[in-house]
Amino acid sequence: MIERHARIVDRALTRLKLRQLRLLVAVGTYGNIQNAARSLGISQPAATKMIQDLELDFEVSLFNRTNRGVVPTVFGETLIRHGKLIFAQISNAAQELDDLSEGSAGRVVVGTLLAASASLLPQAIDLLLAERPNVAVKISEGTNEVLMPGLLSGEIDMVVGRLPSHRHRNKIKQEKLFEDRILAIAGPGHPLAEKKGITFAQTKPFGWILPPPETTLRRQVDHFFVGQQQYVPPVSIESVSYLTNRALLLSRHLVGLMPAEVVAEDIRNGHLVKLDWTVPFGHRPIGLSLRADGELSPAGRAFKTALHVAARSRQA
């Protein structure tokens, strides 16, 4: 096994060409060697030969031939995934070199979930810029379903937010920053805004703003609703847009579920109200998700340190 691994690595280092990897990724995208070859400006026979050479060098079958084209084998899917990561890293290197040539002190791309975007990220960016004033920072907001593929492909350096409990665990490493909790919130004019000791039964007549179905929090909400005599809200709005949710809570008698970190400022200012009902789910750690097999750039490492410092300052 060790001899086979060394043999394949030696072939890859001496014979593998980026053009072959580009073709491999293209075939995976098109599901057809002819269309993939056309997209790269090469003939189909040449493309077929390149795929065969890859299969010989790696000693595996990369595609299964069908009447409709080709389908990657488990080996093909693995090599395609690593090929995409290689190209993402090349793109990142080119972007970082470009940033450096223009006077920037590096670049970091951060995916963020709602729970981290209100105060943790701004604090960490302030700390980073104090140390590296010319660093380029790109923030992409979304759910784990959107951000994790970007993390795994190398397009995103890290994801900051509620740590996923079960998806991608074998491909990512996690670093906990702090614990967050979910609050039931409403606008100050909501009928329940001033009431004490609210029960869930009192919230039932009102509509709810809920996270999307693919999120862990939504699965917890659905499980809780099922346990409450199969409760179905009279109005249900699915949204992760804080500005939209905030406007709806101010204009309508809705109940929203939000991380305490996100709504803290609006509650302090009286723009939103924390309902006096303890949400019996949703307590999860906020932290960093990183590629298990990846290495951060100097700017990325500096930003990771800034996140930990910002998190500690919240708890001081």
Side-chain angles (χ1 to χ4, degrees):
M1 182 64 70
I2 295 176
E3 290 181 1
R4 179 175 182 272
H5 174 264
R7 184 171 66 248
I8 292 174
V9 169
D10 181 65
R11 288 175 186 160
L13 292 175
T14 57
R15 298 174 55 174
L16 182 64
K17 297 179 177 62
L18 290 179
R19 191 175 180 84
Q20 288 176 294
L21 286 182
R22 286 184 63 200
L23 174 65
L24 182 73
V25 172
V27 174
T29 299
Y30 288 101
N32 181 287
I33 294 178
Q34 182 177 2
N35 291 340
R38 185 181 299 116
S39 72
L40 297 180
I42 60 178
S43 68
Q44 181 174 348
T48 300
K49 178 65 164 57
M50 289 167 69
I51 295 296
Q52 291 172 343
D53 288 344
L54 280 173
E55 291 180 324
L56 288 172
D57 287 344
F58 285 95
E59 301 181 13
V60 292
S61 177
L62 297 174
F63 295 97
N64 289 321
R65 277 68 177 175
T66 71
N67 292 334
R68 296 185 177 182
V70 293
V71 178
T73 64
V74 63
F75 306 108
E77 289 177 350
T78 299
L79 195 55
I80 288 171
R81 175 169 56 83
H82 283 285
K84 288 179 177 179
L85 186 58
I86 288 170
F87 291 126
Q89 292 297 334
I90 291 173
S91 176
N92 291 343
Q95 181 65 65
E96 191 167 340
L97 291 173
D98 189 45
D99 292 336
L100 289 169
S101 69
E102 294 182 0
S104 173
R107 179 182 181 87
V108 58
V109 181
V110 183
T112 177
L113 297 119
L114 187 61
S117 59
S119 62
L120 178 67
L121 274 181
Q123 290 173 23
I125 291 172
D126 280 342
L127 290 169
L128 177 67
L129 293 179
E131 178 186 340
R132 294 169 174 251
N134 295 322
V135 74
V137 181
K138 178 181 178 181
I139 304 295
S140 297
E141 188 175 58
T143 64
N144 270 323
E145 295 295 320
V146 174
L147 298 175
M148 285 300 167
L151 176 68
L152 295 176
S153 69
E155 299 171 66
I156 295 175
D157 295 314
M158 66 188 76
V159 174
V160 186
R162 292 164 67 84
L163 295 177
S165 58
H166 61 290
R167 298 291 301 274
H168 312 293
R169 271 300 183 90
N170 60 329
K171 299 175 183 177
I172 64 173
K173 55 185 177 182
Q174 299 178 338
E175 296 181 13
K176 177 181 172 181
L177 296 172
F178 60 89
E179 288 281 342
D180 196 23
R181 67 189 191 283
I182 296 297
L183 302 180
I185 59 171
H190 195 284
L192 298 179
E194 303 297 328
K195 292 188 179 295
K196 303 297 181 184
I198 296 171
T199 64
F200 176 71
Q202 290 175 280
T203 71
K204 286 185 174 182
F206 303 99
W208 288 71
I209 299 178
L210 301 172
E214 66 269 17
T215 62
T216 299
L217 179 58
R218 177 57 180 276
R219 288 189 285 270
Q220 293 173 332
V221 174
D222 289 344
H223 181 74
F224 175 76
F225 282 175
V226 168
Q228 301 296 316
Q229 300 178 330
Q230 305 284 332
Y231 170 70
V232 177
V235 176
S236 179
I237 299 170
E238 295 176 359
S239 169
V240 293
S241 169
Y242 183 68
L243 292 178
T244 299
N245 296 350
R246 184 178 183 273
L248 287 170
L249 290 169
L250 291 172
S251 65
R252 304 185 66 84
H253 292 161
L254 299 170
V255 176
L257 293 170
M258 296 278 185
E261 172 79 6
V262 172
V263 295
E265 186 67 23
D266 272 334
I267 290 175
R268 278 194 296 270
N269 293 335
H271 297 146
L272 295 175
V273 174
K274 173 187 175 298
L275 297 182
D276 192 24
W277 174 62
T278 301
V279 179
F281 50 80
H283 294 241
R284 288 199 57 77
I286 303 297
L288 285 166
S289 294
L290 305 159
R291 286 193 308 279
D293 58 354
E295 183 175 343
L296 292 173
S297 66
R301 291 196 296 271
F303 190 65
K304 183 164 79 81
T305 299
L307 283 165
H308 279 280
V309 172
R312 287 195 298 269
S313 69
R314 296 176 70 264
Q315 301 166 330

